[in-house]
Amino acid sequence: MSDLPVIEPSAEAGLVPTTAPGQSVRRLRLDDPALLPGQTFEIVTDRIAAIPLRQKPFLWWWIGMILVVPWVGGLMTGIARVFISGPGVYGLNWPAMWGYDIIDYVWWIGIGCGAAFISALFYILGADWRAGIGRIAETVAVLSAATSGIFPIIHLGRPWLFYWLYPYPNMQGYWPNWRSPLLWDFWGIQSFLVVTACFWFLSMMPDFAALRDRARTKPRAMVYGVLALGFRGSGRQWRHHRAVCGALAIVVLIAACDTHSIAALDFAGAATVGWHTTQMPPYFLFGAVLSGAAMILLVGLPLRRLLRFGDMITGRHVDMLCRILLTSSLFITYSYALEAFMSWYSGDPAERTMFVHRVFGAEEGYSVWYVYWGTILFNCVFPQIFWLRPARMIQPIVWFVSLCVLVGMWMDPYKLIAESLERTRLPSAWGSFHGSWWDWLTLIGSVGFFFFLLLLAVRLLPMVGIHNIRRLIAGRVR
Amino acid sequence: MPSVGDTAFRAPGRQWRSLAELERDPAFLDRAAQEFPILRDALSEPHKRRHVLRLIAASLAMGGLAGCYSGEPSGVLIPEVRFPPEIVAGLPNHYATAHVLSGYALGTVVTHQMGRPIKVEGNPNHPSSLGATDPYAQAEVLGFYDPDRAMDITRAGTPASVQTLLAALVSVQGVAAATRGAGLRILTGDTSSPTLARLMGRVLAAYPEARWHVWEPVNRDRAMRGAVLAYGQPVETVARLENADVILGLDSDLLGGVPGWVRYARDFASRRNPVRTQAMSRVYAAEASPTLLGSVADHRFVTGAQELDAVVVALGHSLLQGAPATLPGVPAWLAPVVADLKAHRGRAFIHAGPALSAEGHALVHAMNEALGGRGSTYELVEPVLDQPAASRAESIAALAEDMHAGRVTTLVMIDTNPVFTAPGTLGFADALARVPLSIALSKWPDETGRLATWSVPMAHPWETWSDARGHDGTVTIMQPMALPLYGGLSATELVGRLLGAEGETPRAMVQATWRDQLGGGGGDFDAAWHQALAKGVVPGSASAKATASLRDSAATLSPPPSPPGLHILFRPDPRLWDGRFASNPWLQELPDPLTKLTWDNPLLVSPDLAGQMGLRNGDKVNLRTGAGAISLPIWVHPGQARDTVLAWLGGGRRTAGGVGTDNGWDVYPLTGADGLAVMEPTGNQVELASTIHHNVIVFPPGSELDKIIKHATLDVFQQNPAFAKEPEKPEIYHRKPADPTAWAMTVDLNRCIGCNACVIACQAENNVPTVGKEQVLMEREMHWLRIDRYYEGTPDAPDAFFQPMLCMHCEKAPCELVCPPGATVHDSEGLNLMVYNRCIGTRFCSNNCPYKVRRFNFYPYAYRMNRPAVSWNNNVTMRSGGVMEKCTYCVQRIWSARIIADQANIPDGTIEVRTACQAACPTQVFTFGDQNNPGSDVHARKQSPLDYALLEDQHTHPRTTYEALVRNPNPAISKESA
Amino acid sequence: MAALFRPQANLLAKFGFIGIVVSILAGIGWWWGYPRTNYSRQEFWTVHQPVMFSHEHHVGGLGIDCRFCHTSVTTSSNAGMPPTYTCMTCHSQVWTNAEMLAPVRQSLARNEPIVWHRVYNLPDYTFFDHSIHITKGVGCAECHGEINRMPLTYKAVDLEMTFCIDCHQNPAPHLRPRTEIFNMEWTRTAATPSPRQLMAEYNVRAGGVLLECSTCHR
């Protein structure tokens, strides 16, 4: 118990500090319970609430902001440029009509779906460790979905006309084409965003109430009060809240699955070489869970340290997430194997040519093979280290592997999209795709944008579900 | 229409640098408004095309345009003050004229919309055309409207008034009259104009000391000298390929370059599809670097310069002296070829290209006589060009010598650019500096104009009266069809003024030439004159058959042996000819048939030599000949002889306007010496823009290429005519469009020679923009119709295949399925429609197109083109940025045809529609029509056993199908010996 | 501590929510509705013209046939605007000094065209052909309204895509005998052949290619 934070009145409005000065966060252990003993309703509430309620942000928060804001500026510049000059600023070309925009979109929506999937699934399954990590997972889900939403718009040739995809009664007496997977996708991402946001907000409602009650300044109390929508914690309210959360969790689970499956149909539904295969939807889903778990770890580990959540996000959580990472990595390895097998088994020369190009592609002044082998290395090989149980407890390793997986999961759609299009059925239309400076700016900008939103969330929202933890203390998981 | 003489001198009085400045210059705009309201709006409002058209529709009377933008946001309507004759807004007019290239005319018909030329078609009455055109004639529309055309009279580089020019001309005439023309020299390009010849005759008669020199960089000196050697007089060879069973080309440009090649291509193709010809012809080509004839030949023999000499000699011996064709140093393939030629006496034809020596040409004449082809496979006719006897090279050399020696006091250069094109050995620029008074008349501001004392804008052939003769001598009288856009003087006017004939208008001069012939025998001249103008040909004006008989000496000639070493071959640029088309973006961006290069003219090197010197595409080399040295990049060219490098003339123009300047490399400095060159690598690299965006592939025989280009030999075809057919596979569903009409196309691979006429025709008809070299390098070219080129065999001697690729209009089109806003949809007659105004640019359709025939406006390319708004086809929407586009089967032509049919109450299924590519194609590769109509050509061709669908296994059921390629190799020749 | 929100807060919240929803709906409503107003379509606007030309007087009053001025309407896609010359065929005789006609005389004298302001304007990607509609028995009035009642010409129909589509979907009711095409006041009588008969007579393709995008967009 020595490593539990000492509770003493803080200088700041009599609040409890998250931890005593100079005390380090506990190391991870495989036998950790989901919540270290010694917690009381009061303690957890105080400690979690104290963070959003701080008068001034942490120093590291300011540093983080200073780091990411220029990236957001980059993103805005990129968007402005493409609106002014058109898609010509990207590296797109005649055979490769899709490039970074779609790649980035698939990447982000994958992360979002994966995170939402993990959170919702284990909420339903009632896993104890979900309580500590659920909030971070949902936040990641919502914010990645929001980030991904940028790309389908700016990838259009005439972005300002995107609303033509809505079936509104217009003066042309003309409707969108319901047979197009891209249209399904247009709806998929929107519904996913709405559903996940609702789930996220709803599960925060009681916490908002807690914040409201602990807020010392009127404005904050008002804000959180409004957000709490008058939640006062009566038994009736709790019952309804639980019911709705349960229902929503199921909906989110479905949304996560079908949104990324639909994204996969953009490819499976096309007759294009390298895309036209039925395994796409599950393959994309495996990738989603992989990148989702990776992003939760990538964000969760630092937050655990910085916010002193060492006893609410414990070895058990990391252990579980690493297992999920490993499992999904095995799944996606299977998909890669199937992909290779199918390209041969199809007997279609074009398919084979394209696949060989992906794997060994190298011609005068242009080679692509490293992208494919990058995905294999990052998504299939690295995660295997988690077969070693101790490795799951070494934070640098876990964090580094997660990072690599995220890079690998970006290369995955890259090889799928750009490199398939480089080898079309007619050799006369073969080409090579090069991302332009603006492509990279937009990609990096979107990463900055995500972390910008994340920092805002960390500042304003409880990053661990107060009521979830309190239920844990009460010995109930749901 | 006022005579050109009056309007010629309204040219602006100062020199402008760029169009942008023009636009900002109110003085010019006002003048334009008075002179040519169309142009004013064109220049000042390039984006308001249709709007401008409305103005044009209304302002043909050339009235002013007071306040044309005042008032309502929704624009204005400006009716003319009086009705212009014969012009109804919204209906096209057609005028016959001709496209003249290096003196030879190709009959054309120019389509006008509301008084503006917008499209060129071939003239079916003209023997050189038969309704087809070459790429240059198609691109003339853009040349006509080119904002970079010469506009200003300048004297020593500073703007000068018309009066001073006229004064100068008067004094020239005075001096000439006084000195009997001593020191007066007139230099023209090749010309066949009887009127110009007549006037020059008067000049030379009036001033006996004066001289007329002729210079044409792409000339046929050696052929003509060969003819003189063989027949003692110049004669022109007119081939009759429809009668030729066996054709042997020796470095031959028979299907591209030679005068009349458009016609020859038609005759040639008529014998190439075994389904539609009784006896398929057999074609051999022996050449150092691939030509179009070689690319479509049944046998192509890579023959270096020295080997070619040996071949010619051996051919001579075996055909003329009956010796066996197996001399040392003679390739094994010659014997069977000779046997084949002999076996087809009277049905065989040998053609030699311009690079062959004069003796070689004489020898070829002798052989053709010996083979008894004269009268059946070819004719000899009296020469077509003026000054036939003169050797162009000697003519310009003599002139340069006189200039250096200071014997030239006045030099008049008409429609020629010697400073750029003269052989490097002559130092023409320095020579010109020594001429006290030089006058350059040219359509574009060029290198010569910059150095000449006087630079005078020349009227475009569509703006003045003139005449010219086709490859067989048939005359076309060319009438002006627009007031001069930028002012300008015609050649006849200039020469007329040298004669002091100020009063004579070009019309009068041309009429004077023809008054006797057309009005001869008391006939009604005016009727005959109008008939000739309307038909586009002067009846019975073809050159008389030459009666000369072969000299015995011809058979004994032997060509001088070429020295050993690296031989350099000069050919006209497939896009820019001798460089004159440099400021035409359509031609600059036209992919060369084989290398698919655009915007550049690198040195073509054989894979073997390149490999040995460690050179790759784009590596720069220093190239030195006896004449000079330059450094330029190379391109590895499969099928080229190891001891030969090929340089394309015409690149690297230094003064050719915004588009044409500094593209490619000027190789003229290398010309004029013996044919040897020294090449060494420099280690530098430049990027070359080819529309083949990957390493050149040479497929091994029997590869997957057989699925794309289905091809077989004649005997395979005879055993199994339907070799290209695939067994019907079961399908889940196949929705066939309902309508009685079913538009469809067939493309006959047997006929395609890759000449690119269709590509430009499509571009002209459908407002397809050019994108520029940088965008081509980024793989963003826009051609709706492209010609794919595939190689099979070995890099050293591959077989080349051409395959025109355009929208297949699939009955089950993958593109339609995936377009979210439904901007590309199917119509009830099987057209795959592209609705630009509904497109939001998701580009999914292109990803899903197995044929990759869709093009995307990554930028608003059409609006970026420096092109007057009035020059676009107003029947086709101009596409903005972010919009997908593709071949529409010329749907605008379908609809205008249907409307005309409906007005005449003609039932469906019988309306005749010709797409732009179909109309332009010299070899009738394309057939378009209603395949449900049993009477239609396309229905007939779809029944051909050779008919196959590209990528049939994709079950797209394309409406565009191909006729498989059949070649007719000589069984006695195996691939190895070739 | 005192309650954070007074009871009215709930009411406020409710109104807040309702307000948000309502304003969103209103926004959509405007976005949907504005393009459907005559104002945005400039429908029934009389357009100011340099010469106060009255179709009411010339067509309704004097009974001059449309084709007298719009000469190419039966043969060309473009109906054709009359040149000044056409005006002067009469006005060199009548109203020779009318103040109103000064611009016309001036135009002829100075050889400067009269600049009329557009009343009907199609976007550049939309292709319309007058002649074929007339050939198929569609009266001028179908699109131009009772122009013989227009002192100053105005746009008589909304000219939205649906306007064209409706007719192309079911042309029959809009057809009339060829003799009545230029008659602005014509109405169907018992004597007139039935729409079905007219469809057959002009062999009009209902639906089918008439509804293809390429009919108007090329």
Side-chain angles (χ1 to χ4, degrees), chain A residues 27-336:
Chain A
R27 325 190 75 252
L28 301 173
R29 289 216 206 88
L30 280 163
D31 54 5
D32 280 341
L35 179 69
L36 295 188
Q39 308 294 332
T40 70
F41 286 7
E42 278 312 309
I43 295 175
V44 288
T45 317
D46 286 345
R47 286 179 50 213
I48 299 172
I51 298 158
L53 289 179
R54 280 174 66 97
Q55 222 46 304
K56 294 191 189 58
F58 300 102
L59 177 62
W60 57 261
W61 189 88
W62 281 119
I63 297 169
M65 269 302 184
I66 291 165
L67 284 179
V68 295
V69 163
W71 296 11
V72 179
L75 178 68
M76 295 312 154
T77 322
I79 294 175
R81 177 71 208 278
V82 76
F83 264 84
I84 293 164
S85 309
V89 299
Y90 295 141
L92 302 165
N93 60 35
W94 163 49
M97 287 275 179
W98 284 0
Y100 279 40
D101 281 346
I102 302 293
I103 294 166
D104 301 347
Y105 161 72
V106 170
W107 187 48
W108 279 117
I109 197 69
I111 294 170
C113 289
F117 180 89
I118 292 169
S119 164
L121 179 66
F122 292 100
Y123 180 88
I124 294 164
L125 297 182
D128 56 356
W129 56 270
R130 185 262 176 200
I133 208 73
R135 177 66 41 79
I136 292 179
E138 288 152 23
T139 312
V140 165
V142 173
L143 300 190
S144 336
T147 314
S148 78
I150 299 168
F151 292 100
I153 302 292
I154 63 173
H155 119 101
L156 293 178
R158 304 200 285 172
W160 53 91
L161 295 178
F162 76 94
Y163 65 87
W164 281 358
L165 298 191
Y166 289 113
Y168 68 99
N170 55 47
M171 292 315 294
Q172 289 113 32
Y174 199 68
W175 303 100
N177 169 17
W178 296 100
R179 297 181 303 168
S180 168
L182 218 51
L183 193 70
W184 313 338
D185 208 2
F186 181 69
W187 293 101
I189 175 174
Q190 290 176 73
S191 43
F192 177 75
L193 195 51
V194 171
V195 172
T196 332
C198 288
F199 186 53
W200 185 51
F201 176 80
L202 217 69
S203 71
M204 273 193 294
M205 218 164 69
D207 297 5
F208 285 139
L211 289 172
R212 173 196 59 201
D213 301 342
R214 274 172 178 58
R216 282 292 181 278
T217 62
K218 184 106 179 162
R220 291 191 182 207
M222 298 284 276
V223 171
Y224 288 117
V226 170
L227 287 173
L229 299 182
F231 188 92
R232 282 188 314 286
S234 73
R236 190 160 143 282
Q237 282 179 330
W238 275 119
R239 265 200 315 286
H240 289 175
H241 179 259
R242 252 197 324 289
V244 177
C245 280
L248 263 181
I250 295 170
V251 179
V252 167
L253 190 62
I254 296 168
C257 292
D258 80 356
T259 301
H260 214 41
S261 305
I262 288 174
L265 289 183
D266 289 341
F267 307 98
T272 310
V273 180
W275 291 6
H276 190 55
T277 149
T278 47
Q279 74 146 339
M280 281 293 166
Y283 161 17
F284 268 49
L285 198 55
F286 303 151
V289 177
L290 178 62
S291 51
M295 186 55 101
I296 297 173
L297 283 168
L298 191 83
V299 172
L301 288 178
L303 284 184
R304 168 179 182 276
R305 191 166 279 276
L306 295 167
L307 302 180
R308 302 281 193 264
F309 283 158
D311 39 16
M312 301 181 215
I313 302 174
T314 68
R316 175 159 173 74
H317 298 88
V318 181
D319 183 33
M320 283 302 153
L321 285 167
C322 288
R323 290 178 188 217
I324 294 175
L325 199 101
L326 179 57
T327 321
S328 49
S329 151
L330 290 176
F331 274 115
I332 203 160
T333 310
Y334 165 78
S335 293
Y336 290 157

Side-chain angles (χ1 to χ4, degrees), chain C residues 62-82:
Chain C
L62 304 175
I64 299 176
D65 187 286
C66 307
R67 287 159 291 184
F68 183 80
C69 301
H70 304 289
T71 48
S72 57
V73 72
T74 56
T75 54
S76 165
S77 60
N78 188 321
M81 278 292 279

Side-chain angles (χ1 to χ4, degrees), chain B residues 164-185:
Chain B
T164 50
L165 173 68
L166 294 184
L169 288 171
V170 169
S171 68
V172 168
Q173 180 218 349
V175 173
T179 62
R180 310 182 69 249
L184 172 61
R185 299 284 189 277

Side-chain angles (χ1 to χ4, degrees), chain B residues 722-776:
Chain B
F723 69 88
K725 295 270 182 233
E726 283 175 20
E728 278 292 324
K729 293 203 194 70
E731 267 187 85
I732 294 172
Y733 83 109
H734 175 200
R735 181 184 58 78
K736 283 200 168 56
D739 232 53
T741 313
W743 299 112
M745 177 180 274
T746 61
V747 180
D748 186 349
L749 296 180
N750 294 291
R751 288 166 165 262
C752 183
I753 59 170
C755 73
N756 276 335
C758 52
V759 178
I760 298 285
C762 175
Q763 198 156 18
E765 170 72 17
N766 293 302
N767 295 340
V768 177
T770 53
V771 299
K773 182 180 176 182
E774 289 66 27
Q775 293 292 305
V776 174

